[in-house]
Amino acid sequence: MSDGIMSKAATMEIPISSNGDTGSLPEDDGLEQDLQQVMVSGPNLNETSIVSGGYGGTAEGIIPTGTIKGSGLHQPHASPAVGGEEVVRGIAVEKFDIVKKWGINTYKCTKQLISERFGRGSRTVDLELETQIELLRETKRKYECVLQLARALTNHFYSLVQTQHALGDAFADLSQKSPELQEEFGYNAETQKLLCKNGETLLGAVNFFVSSINTLVNKTMEDTLMTVKQYETARLEYDAYRTDLEELSMGPRDASTLCRLDAAQSQFQSHKDKYEKLRADVAIKLKFLEENKIKVMHKQLLLFHNAISAYFAGNQQQLEQTLKQFNIKLKTPGAEKPSWLEEQ
């Protein structure tokens, strides 16, 4: 076998044993989901340009079918009927070839996946990168929990501020209609109005926090995980075609086998290049994501702490200063509902 086949750069090929880690899912459920992933992206035969090669990854090549229409075809040496039949036959053959290629690729990947799961094959592993990927998934789950709780806090606090607003109006009305308790109702009305105003200011800060965490989790992290999924698909394809090449290399070297071996070597190299490119893309995205996460969370956690502390300490000046510090602008005073985030 050539040195190109066996070089693994920063990866290593490890055998899969029945005692190995097959993931957090039960074996049957995990395998079923992975097989569904293998089969989920079939060939699109309605496109004028057909993508071939991957069952869920990026395209290896484009096969243009053209934009030929039977009614607009000009063939001076053939009748329209004959020309139309040739076009239809050509498209049918092309689509059949696409389905055939997709089927072969899917078969190889399914065979590799089952082989890995049941300990009869090997898979390429980049331990450092896969550790970082698993850490990202765990971090995303924890941040989603924080986001859910922060949204719940916002909803509860919104209801509290609404109640304080209504209570303040009720106290103010009774202050005017109860001369003997005018002063007592009056200062309670002022207190509730002040709490309502501070509550609106805190809601602005908390909503800024929620909006920023939502962007980090559901846009930035999700974008990186989409690239990770493409990388994992490319890894499975790479190992499938590597295994195919290794099996052919151990067989007889007759003319037919040598021809198949050359084709397998070419396909293997193509999938290897795609795998290594996506591995590099994932590594870069993980690096930038970590830097961005630290920057964003440093700012948001400081905002959240200062705003909550100032509100419950009754320090209106500090609360308003916190919003100015983070450039958070609220709606104009006197709105019917507590203010929501307008600008970041």
Side-chain angles (χ1 to χ4, degrees), residues 51-181:
V51 177
S52 68
Y55 67 84
T58 57
E60 291 179 14
I62 303 296
I63 304 176
T65 62
T67 55
I68 301 173
K69 296 181 179 179
S71 60
L73 186 65
H74 298 284
Q75 293 185 347
H77 301 295
S79 66
V82 173
E85 289 178 1
E86 290 180 354
V87 170
V88 171
R89 187 182 301 111
I91 293 174
V93 170
E94 185 175 357
K95 289 184 176 181
F96 174 78
D97 185 54
I98 293 165
V99 172
K100 180 181 176 182
K101 289 180 179 179
W102 174 81
I104 291 172
N105 188 75
T106 302
Y107 166 75
K108 290 181 185 295
C109 293
T110 303
K111 178 183 175 183
Q112 175 67 23
L113 181 62
I114 293 174
S115 178
E116 290 177 7
R117 284 301 179 97
F118 290 98
R120 295 191 295 270
S122 62
R123 67 185 294 262
T124 302
V125 177
D126 186 327
L127 291 176
E128 180 180 359
L129 191 63
E130 294 195 11
T131 299
Q132 293 175 1
I133 290 171
E134 185 54 38
L135 180 60
L136 169 58
R137 288 185 168 127
E138 180 64 22
T139 300
K140 185 172 183 287
R141 286 191 290 268
K142 291 179 178 179
Y143 275 43
E144 285 171 339
C145 181
V146 169
L147 181 60
Q148 182 181 12
L149 292 171
R151 282 174 170 159
L153 176 66
T154 302
N155 291 332
H156 294 319
F157 200 78
Y158 175 84
S159 298
L160 172 63
V161 172
Q162 285 286 77
T163 303
Q164 288 174 333
H165 190 279
L167 189 58
D169 289 344
F171 282 152
D173 181 63
L174 285 168
S175 176
Q176 295 177 359
K177 298 178 180 179
S178 306
E180 69 283 1
L181 294 172

Side-chain angles (χ1 to χ4, degrees), residues 129 224 227-228 230-231 274-288:
L129 191 63
T224 301
T227 305
V228 166
Q230 294 173 0
Y231 158 75
K274 182 171 72 170
Y275 162 72
E276 290 181 345
K277 180 184 182 301
L278 282 165
R279 184 180 64 186
D281 290 346
V282 169
I284 291 171
K285 284 200 172 187
L286 286 171
K287 180 178 181 293
F288 284 119

Side-chain angles (χ1 to χ4, degrees), residues 204-216:
V206 175
N207 275 293
F208 186 86
F209 177 85
V210 168
S211 174
S212 299
I213 303 302
N214 180 63
T215 299
L216 178 63

Side-chain angles (χ1 to χ4, degrees), residues 10-30:
T11 67
M12 65 178 183
E13 177 191 330
I14 63 170
I16 307 298
S17 67
S18 59
N19 294 325
D21 181 13
T22 58
S24 57
L25 291 172
E27 185 172 279
D28 290 344
D29 292 343

Side-chain angles (χ1 to χ4, degrees), residues 280-298:
D281 290 346
V282 169
I284 291 171
K285 284 200 172 187
L286 286 171
K287 180 178 181 293
F288 284 119
L289 174 60
E290 183 64 19
E291 294 173 355
N292 186 51
K293 182 193 74 176
I294 293 173
K295 181 180 178 180
V296 169
M297 292 308 298
H298 174 78

